[in-house]
Amino acid sequence: MLDHLKTTDYGTPLRESTQEVTLEIDGQSVTVPQGTSLMRAAVDAGVQVPKLCATDSLEPFGSCRLCLVEIEGRKGFPASCTTPAEAGMKVRTQSPKLQKLRKGVMELYISDHPLDCLTCSANGNCELQDMAGVTGLRNVRYGFDGANHLASAKDESNPYFSYDPSKCIVCNRCVRACEETQGTFALTISGRGFESRVSPGQDQPFMESECVSCGACVEACPTATLQEKSVIELGQPEHSVITTCAYCGVGCAFKAEMKGTQVVRMVPWKDGKANEGHSCVKGRFAWGYATHQDRITTPMIRAKITDPWREVSWEEAIAHAASEFRRIQAKHGQDSIGGITSSRCTNEETYLVQKLIRAAFGNNNVDTCARVCHSPTGYGLGQTFGTSAGTQTFKSVEKSDVILVIGANPAAAHPVFASRMKKRIRQGARLIVVDPRETEMVKGPHLQADFHLALKPGTNVALISALAHVVVTEGLLADDYIAERCDEKSFNAWKDFVARPDNSPEAMEAVTGVHAAVVRGAARLYATGNAEGVKTGRPVNSAIYYGLGVTEHAQGSTMVMGIANLAMACGMVGREGVGVNPLRGQNNVQGSCDMGSFPHELPGYRHISDTTTRSQFEAAWGVELSPEPGLRIPNMFDAALGGSFMGLYCEGEDIVQSDPNTQHVAAALSAMECIVVQDIFLNETAKYAHVFLPGSSFLEKDGTFTNAERRISRVRKVMPPLAQYADWEVTQLLANALGYPMHYTHPREIMAEIAALTPSFAGVSYDKLDQHGSLQWPCNDSTPEIGTPIMHIDRFVRGKGRFIVTQYVATDEKVTPRFPLLLTTGRILSQYNVGAQTRRTPNNQWHSEDRLEIHPHDAEERGIHDGDWVGIRSRAGETVLRATVTERIQPGVVYTTFHFPESGANVITTDSSDWATNCPEYKVTAVQVAPVTQPQQRSAWQRDYARFNAEQIAHLEAATDGR
Ligand code: SF4
Ligand code: SF4
Ligand code: SF4
Ligand code: FES
């Protein structure tokens, strides 16, 4: 195998045990945890036993018989992968007899294998080839004229990998990877004996099977049978760089395997703590967007958005942007401009943008996409626990007895964590899902939720109070924990509130639509580990994971506090296996919040009005800072329409597509005098821009991302920026042009400044990141070297945990005769957010349009059939898309995704928002749905959009000569 591709494979997984055993392998003494296989113990002793069907990410299977060993005093030749080490054993891994047996095994394999090593795509990276060498195979006595599989047809249906059955050795690694690692159970070994072959589904092509293209089988395959098409095309990579996925908040670590500056493949990194060698279709395969022909690599400017773009030099673009910002400030005042940081960019880049706004713009008009996703998490967890982040590591779920998933579909949005969670559920953990839809987490292969609380959208707070009511009135409170850890006064007030009869599951049934008995069962299960609510005295670990189905509501912050209340009341915060965990959407949304992207907070969530904190930043940055919080994104829009906010610097964020009430956003942007967009593509927002500054993808820069477990991981440059500069360098150029000096030469210097100014990051440095792989904040002198895996262990960050009364208030978005259905929105596995990246990859083959899911009952009432074009209308707007009739959604509720600009999902959503943070209420919009007779006409908005889009493409082509 090529040296740089090698990582130690211990053959079987690590076993954890308090007992150890000492044995001898090939004369070497070795001590291992009880339960460790002989194969793994041998690696610890420095000996590699030949193997084919074993790999350390999977349970041993014992089928290939290549790993046979001799044990003194025992007859026969046991397989070292399935034989546990025992104290005092004396094991021999090499002997003439073993050599002969292994050669025989290899001979059989090779007699049914195409000997095309020189032209095989796995040449140099094939375990079968390696084992032929290790066993000393020199000839094959059986010849190739007998029955064989050499002419079996390839399955090329998957866009990213091919399946060549002629090379399959039926080692079962792929089948086990799909089951154990991914939890999809898409593969089987069909046929018996010689006829046995790997088969997706019922002998279907991969693309027609249940396969979700995670790549776990490809990663596990020891031969070229399952092989990345990029490797087939480009050949084996020659070097590799460890970096972090730029899609979701799981933050998987990858080895970017390269040829020069060309990515050959992205391989999930075994030592990555967030993913431990697993991946999903996006991070593993959908990276081609980075070099897509739509990338814009030359800066452009124009006076009006009705003008064609003009390509200019970086100097001209930056000078123009700076002079426009200063002109607007001179005309409309210092506060008339602002900026939006990007949750796709690195911590260092985000930090620089907020610094530029506070120090060079001279105001606090900075906000970020978390405004529209997890700002209620910041507020809610800050109020109750004292800090606004998930309490656990992902690995902690391996210690959970009960998992409560609220308003999240990790199988679609956080797939690698979902796999971990599903594995734990298969091991026996109980599952409660709170979601209006029957998501993949409710029912799937080897997965069935104990309770599915299919509530009506908008009634979360009523439900959480009903769950708490059961805990309080049935004596399920964790009294000792509460007495020791929580604020007594606030607890008593909360307890009296939830105990009221009007908060009982029976009283709330009419509001939530969830049967009282289901709520009672779920509450008992969460509090005690059994649905009967019997306190057994055995410690029970119940963990809550929640998503945007919690936050994107008029009462989003209230619900976050309700979740925190429930967890404290049951003593479920502060150790492994428990906790309250927001599943953050974008790769660095945790980081962008940490880095001071909100208008009222400096890095580390410190209020801008706090004089002590502000003066530290003033001293370091050499400017006076405004103590007044700046504008939030919705306030920026309103101020633009009011004529007082006229300039925007928007880095790596597509507010036109992602923010609610598209027409309102477009009107606000159209009212501004200068919009500077920094992005890799001409996104929807850029179509309203006056200056376009080309951005850089995660492959083109150094920096760090922070995932949903507060884990800070390195992003490493594998290719030079296509447009010359990384994003942090562009921000720096702009700052200098505005007259505010910035002279960083590498992002490590920016991190050093962050660490110096932010107590929770004080111990973070690039050296330490290189040393440990990743760090979890808080990371400083008072934490272990690697930071804080589990938060609030002995006390809450704020001291005593604070309960908050959460009164349910029905949202203004109510069904009416005019709008009798509730629309809720979400994501799908293959697409990501506004789709700008994934739409530019073959992921479109799974999901090429946004569809409206509607229950058969509502469909029939309206004469709608599966696949029909339907119009959907709310008080904000109207759009047309195709219907999927499904029982996954409950009657009275419809659902869509928002990955395609032309479907205009956010034309429908309104500007109703969370009372505390203005997070939009994406999850509840009252709508009407009707069949449309002339789908080609789409809605008025879609016709306008098509016209506007065509104009903007023409304006771009005018600048680029149609390149
Ligand atoms: S790609 Fe993933 S889901 Fe598909 S068969 Fe392989 S392991 Fe299973
Ligand atoms: S496809 Fe690969 S991993 Fe699966 S059984 Fe065949 S050789 Fe083994
Ligand atoms: S789970 Fe998220 S971070 Fe991991 S590979 Fe998929 S998109 Fe990337
Ligand atoms: S590696 Fe042990 S039997 Fe295959």
Side-chain angles (χ1 to χ4, degrees):
M1 192 185 275
L2 296 172
D3 264 0
H4 71 96
L5 300 176
K6 268 190 194 153
T7 46
T8 304
D9 185 344
Y10 293 83
T12 62
L14 178 70
R15 298 290 182 228
E16 280 175 18
S17 173
T18 47
Q19 309 290 315
E20 292 191 324
V21 292
T22 300
L23 66 161
E24 219 175 75
I25 298 181
D26 292 345
Q28 295 285 325
S29 174
V30 61
T31 302
V32 292
Q34 199 161 47
T36 302
S37 70
L38 288 180
M39 176 177 278
R40 189 168 180 117
V43 178
D44 281 348
V47 177
Q48 286 280 351
V49 184
K51 63 180 184 55
L52 274 173
C53 69
T55 186
D56 58 11
S57 60
L58 301 171
E59 290 301 318
F61 193 60
S63 71
C64 75
R65 313 300 294 166
L66 205 62
C67 68
L68 309 182
V69 290
E70 292 172 1
I71 304 172
E72 202 173 288
R74 294 204 191 174
K75 282 191 181 155
F77 304 94
S80 62
C81 63
T82 50
T83 307
E86 288 174 24
M89 269 182 173
K90 288 196 161 73
V91 180
R92 255 196 315 277
T93 70
Q94 301 296 339
S95 73
K97 180 68 190 163
L98 289 170
Q99 171 90 349
K100 189 161 171 238
L101 286 169
R102 288 178 188 147
K103 239 189 218 181
V105 169
M106 281 309 293
E107 224 178 328
L108 279 171
Y109 277 124
I110 298 302
S111 66
D112 183 15
H113 199 82
L115 292 184
D116 58 355
C117 284
L118 286 184
T119 53
C120 177
S121 58
N123 190 5
N125 186 16
C126 171
E127 292 181 39
L128 189 68
Q129 201 178 49
D130 291 350
M131 290 306 114
V134 164
T135 54
L137 189 70
R138 295 290 171 259
N139 56 46
V140 177
R141 283 167 295 163
Y142 308 112
F144 300 97
D145 359 334
N148 60 50
H149 298 88
L150 303 185
S152 308
K154 285 187 192 174
D155 174 359
E156 299 278 11
S157 62
N158 186 289
Y160 297 118
F161 60 84
S162 78
Y163 170 51
D164 179 356
S166 73
K167 299 193 167 172
C168 179
I169 56 168
V170 203
C171 67
N172 207 281
R173 275 162 66 159
C174 55
V175 179
R176 285 178 284 146
C178 193
E179 293 176 4
E180 292 175 28
T181 312
Q182 165 59 20
T184 292
F185 295 80
L187 300 178
T188 48
I189 301 283
S190 65
R192 286 176 170 273
F194 176 77
E195 294 304 324
S196 55
R197 279 301 102 168
V198 170
S199 146
Q202 308 298 313
D203 267 332
Q204 295 158 300
F206 269 87
M207 279 305 268
E208 287 170 26
S209 73
E210 297 292 305
C211 168
V212 293
S213 201
C214 70
C217 55
V218 181
E219 184 53 20
C221 184
T223 66
T225 313
L226 288 162
Q227 182 72 283
E228 296 92 345
K229 288 184 173 172
S230 56
V231 174
I232 295 174
E233 188 191 329
L234 299 167
Q236 291 294 331
E238 45 77 23
H239 74 275
S240 61
V241 180
I242 305 297
T243 190
T244 304
C245 178
Y247 277 119
C248 86
V250 178
C252 296
F254 278 87
K255 234 173 17 146
E257 295 193 348
M258 310 290 301
K259 268 191 161 178
T261 58
Q262 180 169 40
V263 179
V264 175
R265 66 176 166 187
M266 297 291 282
V267 177
W269 191 39
K270 267 167 59 170
D271 294 340
K273 302 261 185 345
N275 55 322
E276 295 184 337
H278 191 33
S279 61
C280 83
V281 60
K282 295 188 284 279
R284 176 74 154 99
F285 296 119
W287 38 266
Y289 71 87
T291 49
H292 192 275
Q293 60 187 19
D294 287 353
R295 281 287 301 267
I296 297 177
T297 54
T298 309
M300 303 185 297
I301 62 175
R302 59 182 175 178
K304 305 192 294 296
I305 66 166
T306 47
D307 289 345
W309 285 103
R310 185 165 65 84
E311 286 188 341
V312 293
S313 66
W314 272 106
E315 291 71 26
E316 185 175 347
I318 293 286
H320 180 71
S323 80
E324 277 297 278
F325 283 145
R326 288 300 185 222
R327 178 189 66 74
I328 290 168
Q329 284 188 306
K331 185 168 150 200
H332 299 283
Q334 180 145 323
D335 295 339
S336 60
I337 62 173
I340 297 176
T341 71
S342 173
S343 293
R344 293 184 197 162
C345 287
T346 62
N347 284 317
E348 293 76 359
E349 288 167 340
T350 308
Y351 174 87
L352 275 206
V353 172
Q354 63 88 35
K355 177 175 179 179
L356 169 118
I357 290 160
R358 298 187 202 280
F361 286 8
N363 61 47
N364 293 309
N365 292 335
V366 56
D367 209 353
T368 189
C369 74
R371 174 69 51 218
V372 298
C373 65
H374 269 289
S375 50
T377 289
Y379 183 83
L381 296 187
Q383 291 289 311
T384 47
F385 297 164
T387 195
S388 70
T391 59
Q392 311 298 115
T393 57
F394 289 138
K395 200 172 177 60
S396 153
V397 79
E398 293 171 9
K399 297 267 173 12
S400 299
D401 304 302
V402 179
I403 299 168
L404 169 53
V405 179
I406 310 178
N409 182 8
H414 302 86
V416 165
F417 177 61
S419 292
R420 223 188 250 256
M421 197 185 252
K422 288 178 186 172
K423 188 171 189 174
R424 181 64 191 154
I425 293 161
R426 289 197 302 278
Q427 289 167 348
R430 313 282 299 270
L431 173 67
I432 306 163
V433 177
V434 179
D435 202 294
R437 286 171 80 227
E438 190 182 290
T439 65
E440 295 93 322
M441 295 309 297
V442 174
K443 210 194 243 165
H446 298 262
L447 180 99
Q448 173 75 57
D450 291 83
F451 294 101
H452 175 204
L453 282 57
L455 78 180
K456 290 182 192 156
T459 64
N460 281 338
V461 173
L463 185 75
I464 203 79
S465 297
L467 288 164
H469 176 92
V470 178
V471 171
V472 167
T473 58
E474 294 191 6
L476 308 180
L477 286 164
D479 298 311
D480 294 348
Y481 179 96
I482 296 165
E484 192 190 330
R485 306 272 316 255
C486 302
D487 172 62
E488 190 183 349
K489 194 162 159 236
S490 68
F491 167 69
N492 287 331
W494 172 82
K495 184 176 149 197
D496 292 346
F497 165 73
V498 293
R500 283 181 356 206
D502 54 325
N503 282 321
S504 70
E506 290 72 18
M508 284 299 188
E509 196 173 300
V511 175
T512 62
V514 185
H515 203 284
V518 174
V519 177
R520 286 196 179 271
R524 291 168 187 154
L525 180 56
Y526 175 77
T528 65
N530 60 76
E532 295 72 42
V534 180
K535 276 189 167 179
T536 60
R538 256 184 293 113
V540 172
N541 290 336
S542 298
I544 298 178
Y545 294 88
Y546 72 87
L548 304 181
V550 161
T551 53
E552 290 176 344
H553 286 273
Q555 280 200 293
S557 293
T558 316
M559 181 60 180
V560 173
M561 295 188 288
I563 288 172
N565 292 336
L566 182 68
M568 289 190 289
C570 298
M572 299 297 179
V573 183
R575 61 181 184 277
E576 275 208 298
V578 299
V580 173
N581 298 285
L583 293 169
R584 317 292 306 237
Q586 302 208 60
N587 53 320
N588 199 35
V589 67
Q590 179 68 56
S592 71
C593 296
D594 302 342
M595 291 298 106
S597 290
F598 288 131
H600 65 293
E601 279 171 345
L602 286 160
Y605 303 98
R606 288 161 301 158
H607 206 278
I608 189 77
S609 63
D610 179 68
T611 313
T612 315
T613 309
R614 210 175 55 253
S615 55
Q616 285 165 4
F617 281 86
E618 287 176 338
W621 293 354
V623 285
E624 199 178 317
L625 298 174
S626 163
E628 294 298 322
L631 297 174
R632 297 170 172 181
I633 293 173
N635 307 132
M636 291 181 194
F637 296 151
D638 291 343
L641 289 166
S644 60
F645 187 82
M646 290 289 117
L648 182 71
Y649 174 42
C650 181
E651 182 188 69
E653 177 68 12
D654 193 356
I655 47 180
V656 171
Q657 197 182 333
S658 65
D659 284 35
N661 197 348
T662 308
Q663 296 179 90
H664 176 74
V665 177
L669 296 190
S670 304
M672 291 188 207
E673 292 178 10
C674 182
I675 295 174
V676 178
V677 164
Q678 186 170 322
D679 211 288
I680 58 176
F681 299 116
L682 190 85
N683 61 17
E684 299 307 307
T685 307
K687 291 169 187 166
Y688 292 87
H690 307 85
V691 179
F692 187 92
L693 303 175
S696 48
S697 77
F698 77 115
L699 297 170
E700 297 155 57
K701 56 197 175 191
D702 283 299
T704 55
F705 291 152
T706 307
N707 75 354
E709 350 153 79
R710 296 167 279 104
R711 186 182 301 286
I712 306 155
S713 303
R714 274 298 311 274
V715 176
R716 292 186 177 85
K717 181 156 101 173
V718 300
M719 59 173 74
L722 298 193
Q724 191 178 342
Y725 295 116
D727 284 305
W728 63 271
E729 293 174 289
V730 177
T731 304
Q732 175 157 291
L733 288 171
L734 186 57
N736 288 326
L738 284 161
Y740 180 79
M742 285 190 192
H743 300 294
Y744 306 99
T745 61
H746 190 276
R748 68 167 61 239
E749 295 163 10
I750 306 173
M751 181 52 83
E753 181 175 315
I754 295 166
L757 287 167
T758 315
S760 52
F761 274 67
V764 179
S765 70
Y766 276 32
D767 287 344
K768 224 155 131 187
L769 284 165
D770 288 343
Q771 187 187 341
H772 296 289
S774 59
L775 303 166
Q776 282 176 282
W777 70 256
C779 180
N780 50 37
D781 284 347
S782 60
T783 70
E785 173 92 351
I786 54 155
T788 311
I790 309 284
M791 291 197 78
H792 315 294
I793 284 186
D794 295 319
R795 59 189 288 279
F796 286 95
V797 167
R798 71 177 298 281
K800 296 270 184 186
R802 179 172 164 218
F803 284 81
I804 294 181
V805 169
T806 55
Q807 177 68 52
Y808 167 66
V809 181
T811 165
D812 290 343
E813 274 299 303
K814 293 188 180 61
V815 292
T816 62
R818 198 165 155 234
F819 299 121
L821 301 170
L822 288 179
L823 169 74
T824 187
T825 61
R827 296 176 187 198
I828 201 151
L829 171 67
S830 52
Q831 296 287 353
Y832 172 72
N833 206 278
V834 295
Q837 292 139 289
T838 43
R839 279 187 280 112
R840 291 179 170 93
T841 70
N843 276 25
N844 276 355
Q845 292 182 27
W846 284 277
H847 185 80
S848 57
E849 61 179 331
D850 294 318
R851 289 266 199 139
L852 186 78
E853 289 186 6
I854 184 165
H855 188 270
H857 173 76
D858 294 321
E860 192 185 342
E861 229 173 38
R862 290 165 175 76
I864 295 168
H865 304 100
D866 195 53
D868 280 357
W869 289 94
V870 294
I872 173 167
R873 190 161 40 86
S874 73
R875 64 185 165 86
E878 183 173 8
T879 193
V880 172
L881 66 175
R882 286 202 292 159
T884 296
V885 179
T886 170
E887 288 189 352
R888 273 163 66 113
I889 196 87
Q890 56 180 279
V893 180
V894 289
Y895 168 87
T896 191
T897 48
F898 56 95
H899 302 302
F900 291 82
E902 58 275 15
S903 50
N906 282 326
V907 174
I908 308 298
T909 53
T910 67
D911 37 24
S912 169
S913 66
D914 175 45
W915 61 273
T917 65
N918 275 151
C919 181
E921 193 174 30
Y922 290 111
K923 302 297 182 193
V924 194
T925 309
V927 296
Q928 178 57 295
V929 176
V932 292
T933 45
Q934 290 184 300
Q936 63 282 12
Q937 302 247 320
R938 312 295 286 266
S939 70
W941 176 83
Q942 282 166 311
R943 288 194 297 277
D944 285 348
Y945 170 77
R947 194 166 42 243
F948 177 70
N949 189 45
E951 280 165 18
Q952 290 302 320
I953 300 296
H955 292 333
L956 175 65
E957 284 172 355
T960 59
D961 292 332
R963 280 198 308 271

